[in-house]
Amino acid sequence: MKQLTLVQAINDALRVALENDPRVIVLGEDVGRNGGVFRATEGLWETFGDDRVIDTPLAEAGIVGTSIGMAINGLKPVAEIQFLSFIYPGVEQIITHAARLRTRTQGTHPASLVIRAPYGGGIRAPELHCDSTESLFVHIPGLKVVTPATPRDAKGLLLAAINDPDPVIYLEPMRLYRSVREEVPEGWFEVPLGKARKVREGDELTVIAWGAMVPVASEAAQQWERQGVSCDVIDLRSLYPLDEETIIESVKKTGRVVIVHEAPKTAGLGAELTALINEQAFLYLEAPVARVTGYDVPVPMYALEDAFRPDVKRVSQAIEQVLAFE
């Protein structure tokens, strides 16, 4: 198996999908000749040509609308939005059409399309490049939402998303694009949507995270393990549908929970997870669920970016508070 970065694994998944399924079309701003702003599509246009890898105008509503039309006609479009923060002009198309297509047509028309979008901070990008608005899409019935934290999952989740009959929002944590490398299987393989990954095994506390917050949560748990405290660390991978079974099993085992996400706290996915835990495992809790999140402000410019994003220190402090609760 090759050692790949996360962005290389995404590129590999797109190449495998284009090779194996003539219905797959890659489209978006600068995805062709330039290979994408992060080079996620580098080399694909040279191999597959204008008919399979399509440079589009700077028009997110047009990109999404075109993808919906392709899906209706039996193609499998994989659309790239340069940054998640740029997706807002296309949200109407996503909610009104993509998410409702199969319901509206009583299953007679497919809605198999993927919308890829880099998201989150940590790369010193300017304003409106670093939003983490995953909860907007998790709230919309008919959409599936996934985000990888490892190169292996990046490839496997993307291929599973391409093969899925429903529209999938595929979020790519920019902070992890080139910060981690691991062995990734060659050829076509899938990581099932709706299944979380257990990063670490422990008995005394559960830490739940996704995307770029997974290594942060894992490092905080590792620090506590040196002090004799073992933590379950869960990488959700699939934000919708959720792997409720893995979450609740862990909570029932440990009785204490810390949730970590980069998005603002109010109405973030951490609130939904807290409600789920209260509904299904309340009597197992030894302490209130703690959330370590971004703040309820727009993502600041890069000079203050580190103060906005949750870090190991903040997660470790939350773990300490939850462990100390009586």
Side-chain angles (χ1 to χ4, degrees):
M1 292 188 289
K2 295 180 180 178
Q3 290 270 347
L4 300 178
T5 64
L6 193 141
V7 73
Q8 288 172 335
I10 291 168
N11 180 278
D12 192 36
L14 293 172
R15 183 179 300 277
V16 168
L18 287 162
E19 287 173 346
N20 282 269
D21 192 338
R23 296 172 296 172
V24 174
I25 306 290
V26 173
L27 69 156
E29 300 163 2
D30 295 328
V31 301
R33 292 177 182 271
N34 289 339
V37 66
F38 291 102
R39 301 298 179 261
T41 56
E42 189 171 33
L44 300 181
W45 175 79
E46 289 83 352
T47 302
F48 300 99
D50 288 323
D51 292 338
R52 305 287 305 284
V53 182
I54 304 171
D55 279 323
T56 68
L58 304 181
E60 286 76 18
I63 294 169
V64 176
T66 299
S67 299
I68 294 168
M70 288 180 174
I72 289 174
N73 286 280
L75 298 175
K76 291 192 170 184
V78 183
E80 178 182 301
I81 303 297
Q82 277 194 344
F83 294 87
L84 182 59
S85 309
F86 295 176
I87 204 171
Y88 306 127
V91 166
E92 189 276 332
Q93 294 273 359
I94 293 171
I95 295 174
T96 306
H97 300 294
R100 300 170 186 266
L101 183 59
R102 290 183 69 198
T103 300
R104 181 177 290 144
T105 64
Q106 298 184 20
T108 60
H109 286 290
S112 185
L113 63 107
V114 178
I115 300 174
R116 297 178 38 247
Y119 85 107
I123 65 164
R124 302 296 189 260
E127 183 201 14
L128 232 111
H129 287 68
C130 300
D131 288 358
S132 297
T133 51
E134 61 267 28
S135 60
L136 293 179
F137 302 101
V138 168
H139 187 68
I140 304 303
L143 298 180
K144 295 177 180 177
V145 184
V146 300
T147 180
T150 69
R152 186 185 187 282
D153 284 350
K155 181 176 179 179
L157 285 173
L158 183 50
L159 290 174
I162 292 170
N163 221 20
D164 197 89
D166 291 311
V168 179
I169 308 296
Y170 181 90
L171 303 177
E172 302 169 6
M174 294 185 288
R175 183 69 181 85
L176 302 183
Y177 264 152
R178 293 175 173 84
S179 66
V180 62
R181 186 183 293 269
E182 72 172 354
E183 290 186 344
V184 176
E186 296 183 9
W188 190 291
F189 82 99
E190 297 184 18
V191 171
L193 307 187
K195 186 64 178 175
R197 175 176 67 100
K198 188 71 72 69
V199 181
R200 302 180 68 88
E201 289 279 355
D203 299 315
E204 293 165 86
L205 185 136
T206 299
V207 186
I208 303 172
W210 53 92
M213 292 295 101
V214 172
V216 174
S218 186
E219 184 175 344
Q222 188 174 7
Q223 289 184 358
W224 276 95
E225 188 168 341
R226 298 190 197 106
Q227 302 178 48
V229 176
S230 64
C231 300
D232 259 5
V233 178
I234 298 173
D235 170 12
L236 287 185
R237 298 196 296 198
S238 180
L239 309 186
Y240 190 87
L242 282 171
D243 184 354
E244 296 184 10
E245 181 179 356
T246 295
I247 295 167
I248 298 305
E249 280 183 359
S250 177
V251 173
K252 287 181 177 179
K253 177 178 66 172
T254 67
R256 301 175 191 270
V257 187
V258 173
I259 300 168
V260 187
H261 63 70
E262 193 170 340
K265 186 174 187 178
T266 300
L269 185 56
E272 175 63 25
L273 291 167
T274 302
L276 171 69
I277 291 165
N278 283 341
E279 290 167 356
Q280 297 194 27
F282 179 76
L283 295 180
Y284 293 86
L285 290 176
E286 301 290 340
V289 176
R291 289 178 286 166
V292 184
T293 71
Y295 297 102
D296 289 341
V297 298
V299 179
M301 295 297 283
Y302 47 82
L304 295 174
E305 187 176 23
D306 290 342
F308 175 85
R309 300 178 70 244
D311 57 15
V312 173
K313 181 179 179 180
R314 285 178 60 195
V315 176
S316 184
Q317 288 172 343
I319 292 174
E320 183 177 17
Q321 291 169 4
V322 171
L323 289 172
F325 183 87
E326 294 182 0

